[in-house]
Amino acid sequence: MSVRLRPDAVEEAQEALRGHERVLPRGAGTKPALSSPPDGTVTLDVSGLTGIEEYDPEELTFTARAGTSLGEIEAALAENGQYLPFDPPLVAAGATLGGAVAAGTSGPLRYRSGGVRDFILGVRFLDGEGRLVRAGGRVVKNAAGFDLSKLMVGSAGRLGVMVELSFKVFPQPQAWATLTVDCAGLDDALALMGALATAPLDLEALDLEPPGRLWLRLAGLADAMPARLERLEGILERSGERLEGEEEGALWREVRDFAWVAEDAAIVKVALVPKRVPELEAKLEPLAVKRRYGAGANIAWLAWPGERPAQELDELLRSLGLAGVFLTGSPPKPMVGTHRGGAFAQRVKSALDPSGRFPDV
Amino acid sequence: MLLSALGAIYPPARILTSRAELAPYECDALTSFRASPRAVVLAESTDEVVETVRACHRLGVPYVARGSGTSLSGGSLPIEEGIVIALNRLNRILELDPEQRTAVVEPGAINSQVSAAAAPHNLFYAPDPSSQSICSIGGNLAFNAGGAHCLKHGMTSSSVLGAKVVLPDGELVELGGESIEPVGPDWMGLFVGSEGMFGIALEITLRLMPSADRTRTVLSAYESLEAAGNAAAKVVAAGLLPVAMEIMDKLAIEAAEGSVKPGYPEGIEALMIVELEGDHETVDREFEQLLEVLEGAGATEVREPDDDAQRALYWEGRKSAFSAVGWLSPDYIVQDGVVPRTRLGEALAEIGRLSEEHGIRVANVFHAGDGNLHPLILFKGSEEGALERAEELAGEILRMCIRLGGSVTGEHGIAMEKRAFLPEMFGEEDIEMMRRLWRAVDPAQIANRGKMFLPEEELERDEAADPDAAPSSAAVAGTAGPPPGGASSGEARRDTR
């Protein structure tokens, strides 16, 4: 009997999962490095599990099936003046809600608002045995039981197949404004970022385009914007280029959706802190790898050239003790560099996927 | 055997075994559960903690890690056949890096001291449980503590970036890191809120936040508690994102005025404190909008504190509410359920109705912005059956929270207090998954055993007695009466006084 690998219902997904020894879920496939099955593994396509199940604008929360496109969710929220503050990438490319959680991808706005992990409220997922498990809830605050919703963030389909997710959202700011500032070089830019880290000023996004261009984004009441931009320039002790309106929004969408990454390059996310940037820069500069630092240099986004083996980046990151993940391209394993978790990770994986139906993390 | 193993790790002065020495460790802030452990060890280094966990694992002795003992759900209640590892001497702030906005602390570090250390750099540690001047970061992490200001800044989970952890069998692992954005599965996120059952965090990397340029606070008064709840919903619906939004009812106001004397308006039924923070250019404008919303929502009085000192006093009245209630009643139970914030008015009306029906006074102090209720159920423990009657009412309030689509706990955790209610909120498969996780991480089941889940033998016993029975308050109470068969399995005893 052939089992459907593109289920429309949770029961079908359970049946499909149980019918195969090695399974990897896939949403819209916008992060193929995470959703391409290793040899002998079948793809469980969950892009048919769609639809917003509950959305109460006054509550600022929603519940949707995991295969729902982020575009559909953003549109529904926008109708009510709300948005996803974690700013997920690849919306226009068709990325799904479940895919954003599995990849753990947040965009530039995560700097101030928080990432996927800070907005997820609850999940229903299939474990490796096909059991349907619910964790978390639908309310904005909840400390009941182990926080399996958070564990799903970044799990890359290796710990469970998400079928339904609940999130909180925020009201959209009235206006946006961006200041780009060119510093004398990397050291100057990092020093300025250090000063901004403790400045009494709300920055929605703070990106570094090496070697020395800073991107600073403000949001809030339109009336307040000119005065805030002026104060920001005062703190920076230099003026920059101001951007507002449609052009400003488009610029950040390009950043968020990796328009700056060449087609044959792979998108890689690396976790770090600002003080580690010089070491990483010293390694990447000679390799001519295009890159950008997001969330106040808490994330490095790399465009890893197609002709360079993933192994090389794995070793490079290991030498620095940094963890990274390929989102696109076709590396042998998406996780590269030094990952933590050790015995805890192994034990959790064995509880969620005792027969090893999903690939290793 | 146990004592000689501990004697190899600690000098005699740091192993407590006498009745008098153990007494302060018999309970935490949930005083209705008490148990005396075999010993308490006072750890002064993380190596000692690791050695202790390894000894416990080798000897099959359960342990409970304890910080300041402020858990409201019985999270650090001792296990009678086990030991308590006291972590409050491990209280150093090891590192503070303003430019990365991080601090590395030991588990016994006190919550408010982290903010105090960060303050010279214009930074602070966001989670602010009302017990922040005494509670420990390790305990905050284990129970995913919240606080008034987590409406905007998130719970403890959003502020813990990484930790060095000793697992229940003594193995050391590192979870998370320094970055605010992790890569790979969020192991750290799963560990936070695991109620001590996944091990002990030895070194914790915290995220610090920059202090706001401007903070504006407003106190508004209402003719009924329901009206205050509806006003909170209107603030949220207006698109404002307050950093905190708190409501107190008449009884709670009375208690506050009886103790810390915050100077709230007199003769009112309910008050709400709303705080905005951010850039002054924005906040000053949003504040005008907030005042309009409050006035339109039926506030009978709207008052802004004159200065920072008065603001601090307004907050002190709110934050000391739990202890101030002692001024009204010798004993109380504090509940921690959550309801969808749009149903706050409805939930408050129902609590009022239940209070009347049961003839038990209930004071309400709560986080209105996120629908997290804190009904304080007042009783006199010396009265026969009063605790049980109060628990029955508490149980009905929790069931209402579940019925309205909320949660049984927003920030205090399950531990002892609500373990009978977890099965009402989650299905069998969900709880079995949690148990599987626990068994995988701690196969010997020695880390804070007995918390979060009802002991399996008790479950079987309950099922055998009445398969359809909803958990009763007696089940919450562990072995409230004499256990069936008369044999005590070392469960905590109830202190009914």
Side-chain angles (χ1 to χ4, degrees), chain B residues 135-160:
Chain B
C135 64
S136 71
I137 295 291
N140 290 174
L141 186 157
F143 283 83
N144 196 12
H149 291 77
C150 70
L151 176 57
K152 182 173 168 194
H153 299 304
M155 312 254 294
T156 296
S157 191
S158 289
S159 287
V160 172

Side-chain angles (χ1 to χ4, degrees), chain A residues 59-60 110-111 117-118 131 134 141-143 197-198 202 228 231 269 272 274-275 298 340-341 347, chain B residues 100-101 122 158 169 174 176 179-182 186 213 279 281 341-342 372 407 409 411 425 430 441:
Chain A
E59 195 61 41
L60 285 104
R110 88 86 66 219
Y111 178 60
R117 72 188 303 271
D118 302 299
R131 289 176 288 231
R134 186 168 63 90
K141 199 173 177 189
N142 181 11
T198 58
D202 278 341
R228 289 174 72 202
R231 190 155 64 87
K269 173 187 164 183
L272 81 175
K275 67 181 175 192
N298 277 263
R340 290 171 164 191
R347 292 178 202 182
Chain B
Q100 326 300 315
R101 290 184 186 167
N122 194 46
S158 289
D169 60 352
E174 292 197 46
S179 172
I180 57 173
E181 181 77 0
D186 196 349
D213 175 49
D279 290 353
E281 300 91 342
R341 41 198 168 185
T342 48
N372 189 187
S407 169
T409 174
E411 55 187 7
M425 189 173 154
D430 312 331
V441 177

Side-chain angles (χ1 to χ4, degrees), chain A residues 35-355:
Chain A
S35 58
S36 301
D39 284 346
T41 300
V42 301
T43 294
L44 181 60
D45 179 353
V46 295
S47 63
L49 298 175
T50 59
I52 298 171
E53 296 182 332
E54 193 179 289
Y55 169 40
D56 180 354
E58 284 190 33
E59 195 61 41
L60 285 104
T61 57
F62 73 87
T63 297
R65 298 217 285 175
T68 312
S69 78
L70 289 164
E72 182 184 336
I73 290 165
E74 284 195 343
L77 295 176
E79 270 179 38
N80 293 282
Q82 297 174 0
Y83 76 128
L84 298 170
F86 59 91
D87 201 14
L90 302 168
V91 176
T96 63
L97 183 63
V101 175
T105 40
S106 307
L109 294 177
R110 88 86 66 219
Y111 178 60
R112 174 153 176 274
S113 299
V116 183
R117 72 188 303 271
D118 302 299
F119 286 85
I120 189 168
L121 301 175
V123 65
R124 291 206 305 154
F125 69 96
L126 305 180
D127 74 358
E129 301 299 293
R131 289 176 288 231
L132 180 63
V133 178
R134 186 168 63 90
R138 292 184 178 197
V139 279
V140 295
K141 199 173 177 189
N142 181 11
F146 297 138
D147 199 347
L148 284 159
S149 318
K150 282 221 170 50
L151 181 66
M152 289 296 132
V153 178
S155 63
R158 269 89 176 147
L159 296 175
V161 180
M162 286 172 268
V163 297
E164 182 194 280
L165 291 151
S166 296
F167 271 85
K168 63 173 176 176
V169 300
F170 278 170
Q172 255 171 4
Q174 200 182 75
W176 302 88
T178 290
L179 195 68
T180 55
V181 178
D182 285 309
C183 301
L186 183 67
D187 292 348
D188 186 29
L190 288 170
L192 204 51
M193 287 174 78
L196 285 168
T198 58
L201 189 107
D202 278 341
L203 285 177
E204 297 300 310
L206 172 58
D207 271 29
L208 164 66
E209 187 185 342
R213 173 170 286 193
L214 290 182
W215 297 48
L216 307 104
R217 195 172 196 199
L218 298 174
L221 299 174
D223 287 353
M225 211 54 94
R228 289 174 72 202
L229 280 164
E230 205 161 302
R231 190 155 64 87
L232 174 57
E233 286 178 333
I235 291 169
L236 297 170
E237 291 175 341
R238 63 198 91 187
S239 58
E241 193 188 335
R242 290 186 190 190
L243 272 170
E244 282 173 269
E246 191 42 47
E247 197 189 349
E248 194 261 6
L251 194 71
W252 283 103
R253 271 194 300 279
E254 282 174 16
V255 169
R256 178 181 88 165
D257 293 339
F258 310 108
W260 52 278
V261 175
E263 201 134 301
D264 61 346
I267 303 164
V268 182
K269 173 187 164 183
V270 177
L272 81 175
V273 283
K275 67 181 175 192
R276 306 300 308 278
V277 170
E279 295 162 79
L280 184 61
E281 279 293 295
K283 298 258 187 194
L284 293 175
E285 176 73 64
L287 303 181
V289 175
K290 205 161 179 200
R291 61 212 177 266
R292 189 182 174 98
Y293 296 88
N298 277 263
I299 309 171
W301 293 107
L302 315 184
W304 189 250
E307 68 275 12
R308 289 196 177 275
Q311 180 73 21
E312 188 184 349
L313 180 58
D314 184 40
E315 284 161 16
L316 189 159
L317 292 176
R318 276 175 202 272
S319 73
L320 298 172
L322 297 175
V325 59
F326 275 83
L327 301 184
T328 62
S330 43
K333 283 186 70 175
M335 305 289 173
V336 286
T338 308
H339 284 262
R340 290 171 164 191
F344 183 69
Q346 287 160 18
R347 292 178 202 182
V348 171
K349 166 83 173 164
S350 76
L352 287 163
D353 183 20
S355 0

Side-chain angles (χ1 to χ4, degrees), chain B residues 468-488:
Chain B
D468 300 322
S472 65
S473 60
V476 186
T479 49
S488 165

